Amino acid sequence: MTVSAPGAGKTVALFATCINDTMFPQTPKAVVGLLERLGCTVEFPLGQTCCGQMFTNTGFFDEALPTVRNYADVFAAYDYVVAPSGSCVGSVRDQHPMLAERTGDRALVEKVRAVTARTLDLSEFLVDVLGVTDVGAYFPHRVTYHPTCHSVRVAKVGDRPFRLLEAVRGLTLVPLPAAEQCCGFGGTFSVKNPDVSVAMGADKATHVMETGAEYVVTGDNSCLMHIGGILSRLNSGIRPIHLAEILAATEGAHS
C-alpha cells in the first residue's frame, strides 16, 4: 500500500515577507524545499509586497491600506497562504480586517476577511493542515527556542514550534530561561527606543547563552536578527537560525 505525502494535492502560496525577501532569502527557500518534500505544490505570486505592519503600527493607516488591498488581490485565488513569520501573519490576520473596516467598503471587508483567514504561519500549516509534527528533519545540534511576541500573542502559534522541533532527529531542545520576555526588537520600537531595545536584547542574549545551545531558533527573522546581532558582538559562538531552516534540513543535505 502506497501512503501519499501529507501535502499531496495541496497548492500553497508562499508569502515570503519583506525582511526575508531582502535580507534572509534562505528562509523562504527552506519553506519551499520543506513543503515540496511533504508533497505540496508551492507557488510564489510575484505581485506580493509588504503586509504594511510598520505603517499600521505607527498610525499611518491610510498609507497601509494599499498593501492590504494588494494582499487581498494577490492571494485571493489560494486556499492556503503560508508565511515563515508569526509577526507578519499576525499583522495580516489582526490588522488587515481592521484597516478594511475603516474604509466602509463591504466588498473589500469580505474579501480581506476571506484571504486573511487562509493565511497561516508555517508551524500552523504543518501541524493543523498537514497534520504532521515529524517532517523528516535531521539537525544534530543543541538548540534553544525563543517564542517571539507576535507569534505567541497575535498569531497564537502556541506550542506548535516546540512540537515540530521535538520531532527533529538528532536535535536537543534546551528550555530558554525567561522565554516569555520580549527580545526588544519590536520593529519600529528598536528605532524609537534604541537604548531600551538593546538592553532588552542583551538580557535575552544572556539567557540564550545560559542554555549552552549551539543555535537559537525563532519563527521570525526580525527578532532573530536582533538577538543574533547581540550574540555576535558578544562573541558567543551561538548561531541564529530560523525554524524553517531546521525543518528543511535532512540527513543527506545537512552541513
Side-chain angles (χ1 to χ4, degrees), residues 15 66-76 81 92 96 115-116 119:
F15 175 39
T67 66
V68 175
R69 293 183 184 276
N70 184 74
Y71 188 93
D73 289 340
V74 168
F75 293 109
V81 183
V92 168
H96 282 202
V115 177
T116 57
T119 300

Side-chain angles (χ1 to χ4, degrees), residues 9-255:
K10 292 180 172 60
T11 299
V12 177
L14 171 65
F15 175 39
T17 80
C18 298
I19 191 168
N20 288 325
D21 182 49
T22 57
M23 299 180 69
F24 303 99
Q26 73 275 10
T27 296
K29 288 179 180 178
V31 174
V32 173
L34 170 62
L35 294 182
E36 288 184 343
R37 190 173 80 218
L38 295 173
C40 298
T41 297
V42 183
E43 297 186 4
F44 181 77
L46 295 178
Q48 63 182 279
T49 60
C50 178
C51 68
Q53 181 176 176
M54 288 194 292
F55 285 123
T56 309
N57 288 351
T58 47
F60 292 94
F61 291 176
D62 291 340
E63 289 79 1
L65 190 57
T67 66
V68 175
R69 293 183 184 276
N70 184 74
Y71 188 93
D73 289 340
V74 168
F75 293 109
Y78 295 94
D79 292 331
Y80 305 103
V81 183
V82 176
S85 170
S87 177
C88 295
V89 166
S91 174
V92 168
R93 294 203 303 233
D94 185 60
Q95 295 177 338
H96 282 202
M98 177 272 291
L99 292 168
E101 288 281 358
R102 292 182 73 253
T103 68
D105 183 340
R106 299 316 302 173
L108 176 64
V109 170
E110 293 307 313
K111 186 174 185 179
V112 166
R113 283 179 176 172
V115 177
T116 57
R118 300 195 296 270
T119 300
L120 302 170
D121 177 71
L122 175 64
S123 65
E124 295 178 303
F125 180 74
L126 294 172
V127 176
D128 298 348
V129 178
L130 299 191
V132 297
T133 52
D134 185 347
V135 298
Y138 174 75
F139 196 75
H141 297 284
R142 183 180 175 92
V143 308
T144 192
Y145 174 77
H146 167 60
T148 63
C149 296
H150 278 77
S151 69
V152 173
R153 299 181 179 93
V154 184
K156 295 181 171 57
V157 301
D159 68 347
R160 295 176 185 86
F162 290 99
R163 292 161 62 189
L164 290 161
L165 287 169
E166 287 171 344
V168 175
R169 288 184 300 114
L171 184 146
T172 300
L173 183 59
V174 188
L176 177 64
E180 73 284 354
Q181 294 180 6
C182 177
C183 74
F185 179 70
T188 54
F189 175 84
S190 61
V191 177
K192 296 176 181 177
N193 305 277
D195 293 339
V196 177
S197 175
V198 170
M200 295 172 70
D203 286 345
K204 180 62 63 176
T206 297
H207 292 311
V208 170
M209 289 187 291
E210 288 171 357
T211 68
E214 299 170 74
Y215 289 85
V216 57
V217 57
T218 77
D220 282 285
N221 271 325
S222 53
C223 299
L224 200 61
M225 176 179 64
H226 184 58
I227 300 168
I230 295 173
L231 289 170
S232 176
R233 288 192 290 275
L234 293 173
N235 295 314
S236 69
I238 301 171
R239 289 184 282 181
I241 189 169
H242 193 282
L243 174 66
E245 294 166 52
I246 290 180
L247 299 179
T250 58
E251 189 163 4
H254 181 73
S255 59

